Amino acid sequence: MKTTIVIFGASGDLTARKLIPALYANFRKGRLPQDCTIIGFSRHPYSDDAFRQKMKEALLKFLPSEYNEKDWGIFGRSLFYHRGDIDKLEDFQSLSKNIEARGGPGGNRLFHLAVAPSFYLSVVKKLSESGLATENATSGYSRVIIEKPFGRDLQSAIGLNTDLLRVLKEDQIYRIDHYLGKETVQNLLVFRFGNSIFEPLWNRRYIDHIQITVAETVGVEHRANYYDQAGVLRDMFQNHLLQLLTLVAMEPPVAFEANALRDEKVKVLRAIREITPEKSSRFSVRGQYEGYRSEPGVAANSTTETYAALALYVDNWRWQGIPFYLRSGKMLPGKVTQIAIRFVRPPHQMFDVLAGATQLSTNHLSICIQPDEGFHLSFMTKVPDGGMTMRPAEMDFHFRDQFVDQPIPDSYERLLLDALNGDPSLFTRSDEIELAWKFIDSVRAGWEGDHAPPLEPYAPGSWGPVSADKLLWSNGRWWRQDCIDRQNDLESGSSLK
């Protein structure tokens, strides 16, 4: 059966930088449907050939190692362009005729909404009104991929979900979070549930606390109009960080199947303890990098946070009383996504006492999502000929060392393929979206009240405001950035201590 992929917003950056390279990579691996057409839809006056040339240039820029002239020649023939306005029903009706002209009536259809969030509902309604969203036994499937952000608070997310479900079924909607498409994020599930040595330790008895860091080195760049209205809490915590939290904290699903997996993630989100306004300054930190208000498009008196740190608790049997520390920010020293797990100290520190150590030993597991994808487990070992002096050592796993001939694909490559195959496991369900917004809204309510933490300035290139360190120091803990430290050491060629 003919399959058509339609990209709305085809003239935009996401299409050129991510979507077409991901589809081309899947084509080269023989994973796209045999009879597949890709149509770009936007208002720009491109011809089919002009659109193909633009996508070829994007591929050479963003995925040069995969480019092959012969493969591109075949793939390029499946690319077409449809000039249209997403506000005009007649342009959707002509799109429907265009699809039929290339593949006959019926067929499978996948629509990717690479447009601003304000247009999501308009596009979906016109897909319905033009008949493009209709599914039946003879016409094939009709699925819609919706990019983040999905709403800007709980009320708007509920409203968008309600409106979408008036014209689409839940199993037609694929709410994308590209973090879930990362190989290292998926490997977290294999690491936990595919090995018997870790899961028995994955609970409040053996783990002291867990940290999740998503750090960026850039400022707002060209996103100022959006970012100054959103801030890091909406931009990063509501989706990326809470998604990582659910994968770390969830119970084993009964099967690696979409609903079973997402049911367990929802249970974690339901169990997150609310940060009440009265406790806002105790459990949250917010900051803004120096110079942010001088960025083009940013208000001169902006109070938007570019850094946030939270201490939260998951009130269930496995994690009761164990803190999860989440932080994210812009203009930090390194681009890194890391999950750091600190295990409890041995109950009797006899070797530390004998060695005269002032810092008591413990074990850490660092899961590097990016840039140095892998795992690092620290343990204590005796220094030869040094009495009972100890030193931490590490056991490492690096994707790039173990899979030399298998480079890590971009997350969109996996997610687009899953949407084509009808597997929503790595896409977020409506109740996940709403529960995440419910928690984020409670934090923002605290930031707008009498007990709000101050908006602290921090220097670009630092790890954020001092209060973020105090959030952990007050409990005898400190932030870890093992993954970025390792990356810096690898790039400099120095050995790790």
Side-chain angles (χ1 to χ4, degrees), residues 368 370-376 394 396-401 481-497:
C368 300
Q370 63 178 12
D372 180 28
E373 294 89 352
F375 300 87
H376 311 288
E394 291 196 356
D396 296 341
F397 162 78
H398 300 267
F399 270 84
R400 62 183 176 189
D401 295 336
Q481 44 260 0
D482 305 84
C483 297
I484 196 65
D485 290 343
R486 287 188 150 274
Q487 182 70 11
N488 291 338
D489 285 329
L490 288 170
E491 291 175 355
S492 66
S494 64
S495 60
L496 292 168
K497 295 183 178 180

Side-chain angles (χ1 to χ4, degrees), residues 203-441:
N203 56 60
R204 68 184 188 278
R205 182 176 179 184
Y206 296 103
I207 290 178
D208 177 83
H209 73 277
I210 294 176
Q211 302 174 16
I212 302 177
T213 297
V214 178
E216 298 181 284
T217 56
V218 297
V220 291
E221 298 181 302
H222 60 281
R223 300 176 68 220
N225 289 336
Y226 159 75
Y227 195 89
D228 200 42
Q229 300 299 316
V232 72
L233 202 62
R234 290 190 177 103
D235 188 48
M236 298 297 287
F237 280 74
Q238 185 274 333
N239 40 74
H240 301 334
L241 277 96
L242 288 183
Q243 285 292 330
L244 291 176
L245 171 65
T246 60
L247 295 177
V248 171
M250 66 186 283
E251 297 296 324
V254 295
F256 191 73
E257 178 271 329
N259 280 330
L261 180 66
R262 297 193 287 186
D263 285 345
E264 297 303 333
K265 291 165 62 183
V266 164
K267 290 177 185 177
V268 175
L269 293 172
R270 289 187 188 280
I272 295 176
R273 186 186 306 172
E274 179 185 357
I275 298 177
T276 61
E278 294 75 23
K279 297 181 178 179
S280 181
S281 60
R282 179 182 172 187
F283 292 104
S284 67
V285 173
R286 57 184 184 139
Q288 186 185 89
Y289 67 79
E290 296 169 356
Y292 171 75
R293 295 175 183 176
S294 300
E295 298 275 20
V298 173
N301 60 347
S302 174
T303 58
T304 298
E305 80 285 352
T306 62
Y307 178 99
L310 303 178
L312 58 86
Y313 292 85
V314 178
D315 289 332
N316 62 17
W317 190 270
R318 182 184 290 262
W319 297 113
Q320 188 65 44
I322 302 302
F324 289 76
Y325 297 104
L326 279 58
R327 64 171 172 169
S328 182
K330 290 188 173 295
M331 298 294 282
L332 301 182
K335 180 177 176 61
V336 61
T337 301
Q338 170 185 288
I339 300 168
I341 297 162
R342 180 173 132 176
F343 294 93
V344 297
R345 294 191 180 102
H348 181 48
Q349 299 281 347
M350 56 183 176
F351 297 116
D352 293 316
V353 173
L354 287 172
T358 56
Q359 182 173 305
L360 301 180
S361 63
T362 189
N363 305 107
H364 291 87
L365 173 64
S366 296
I367 303 170
C368 300
I369 308 299
Q370 63 178 12
D372 180 28
E373 294 89 352
F375 300 87
H376 311 288
L377 178 64
S378 71
F379 58 95
M380 302 305 297
T381 184
K382 179 184 178 299
V383 176
D385 198 27
M388 292 308 296
T389 302
M390 296 186 301
R391 192 177 74 184
E394 291 196 356
M395 290 190 291
D396 296 341
F397 162 78
H398 300 267
F399 270 84
R400 62 183 176 189
D401 295 336
Q402 295 294 320
F403 303 101
V404 178
D405 298 325
Q406 293 175 272
I408 297 175
D410 184 80
S411 57
Y412 274 95
E413 189 176 326
R414 169 67 187 271
L415 292 170
L416 287 170
L417 187 61
D418 282 357
L420 286 167
N421 292 332
D423 182 359
S425 299
L426 300 177
F427 294 83
T428 50
R429 204 167 59 191
S430 58
D431 50 353
E432 286 184 71
I433 293 277
E434 293 174 12
L435 285 167
W437 274 123
K438 181 180 179 182
F439 173 74
I440 294 301
D441 281 2

Side-chain angles (χ1 to χ4, degrees), residues 7-16 19-20 39-44 46 51 54-55 80-82 112 114-115:
I7 302 173
F8 293 99
S11 60
D13 178 65
L14 180 62
T15 301
L19 303 185
I20 293 299
I39 299 177
F41 182 110
S42 80
R43 291 183 296 180
H44 284 68
Y46 296 129
F51 181 63
K54 177 180 171 65
M55 294 303 101
F80 299 93
Y81 186 77
H82 186 90
H112 195 119
V115 296

Side-chain angles (χ1 to χ4, degrees), residues 96-118:
S96 180
K97 294 177 182 178
N98 191 345
I99 294 173
E100 286 193 15
R102 301 191 185 284
N108 298 319
R109 299 173 298 278
L110 177 66
F111 304 101
H112 195 119
L113 275 56
V115 296
S118 58

Side-chain angles (χ1 to χ4, degrees), residues 81-280:
Y81 186 77
H82 186 90
R83 185 180 182 183
D85 190 325
I86 57 178
D87 290 324
K88 295 180 179 179
L89 177 60
E90 56 266 32
D91 289 345
F92 283 75
Q93 292 167 336
S94 64
L95 172 64
S96 180
K97 294 177 182 178
N98 191 345
I99 294 173
E100 286 193 15
R102 301 191 185 284
N108 298 319
R109 299 173 298 278
L110 177 66
F111 304 101
H112 195 119
L113 275 56
V115 296
S118 58
F119 296 117
Y120 291 165
L121 187 57
S122 176
V123 172
V124 170
K125 284 182 176 179
K126 288 179 177 60
L127 287 175
S128 176
E129 292 167 2
S130 62
L132 286 167
T134 302
E135 291 185 317
N136 57 54
T138 58
S139 69
Y141 66 71
S142 183
R143 299 171 185 150
V144 179
I145 298 177
I146 298 179
E147 287 283 339
K148 80 172 190 74
F150 193 93
R152 68 181 311 275
D153 53 23
L154 177 59
Q155 183 178 357
S156 61
I158 291 174
L160 181 55
N161 271 328
T162 301
D163 289 337
L164 289 176
L165 291 171
R166 287 195 178 105
V167 293
L168 297 173
K169 296 176 293 186
E170 176 64 35
D171 62 9
Q172 290 182 273
I173 304 171
Y174 287 69
R175 302 169 188 83
I176 200 167
D177 182 343
H178 70 269
Y179 258 57
L180 293 180
K182 292 182 179 293
E183 288 287 333
T184 39
V185 172
Q186 297 163 49
N187 198 42
L188 178 57
L189 295 173
V190 176
F191 183 83
R192 284 194 57 193
F193 305 131
N195 299 287
S196 61
I197 62 174
F198 297 108
E199 187 58 24
L201 308 179
W202 216 264
N203 56 60
R204 68 184 188 278
R205 182 176 179 184
Y206 296 103
I207 290 178
D208 177 83
H209 73 277
I210 294 176
Q211 302 174 16
I212 302 177
T213 297
V214 178
E216 298 181 284
T217 56
V218 297
V220 291
E221 298 181 302
H222 60 281
R223 300 176 68 220
N225 289 336
Y226 159 75
Y227 195 89
D228 200 42
Q229 300 299 316
V232 72
L233 202 62
R234 290 190 177 103
D235 188 48
M236 298 297 287
F237 280 74
Q238 185 274 333
N239 40 74
H240 301 334
L241 277 96
L242 288 183
Q243 285 292 330
L244 291 176
L245 171 65
T246 60
L247 295 177
V248 171
M250 66 186 283
E251 297 296 324
V254 295
F256 191 73
E257 178 271 329
N259 280 330
L261 180 66
R262 297 193 287 186
D263 285 345
E264 297 303 333
K265 291 165 62 183
V266 164
K267 290 177 185 177
V268 175
L269 293 172
R270 289 187 188 280
I272 295 176
R273 186 186 306 172
E274 179 185 357
I275 298 177
T276 61
E278 294 75 23
K279 297 181 178 179
S280 181

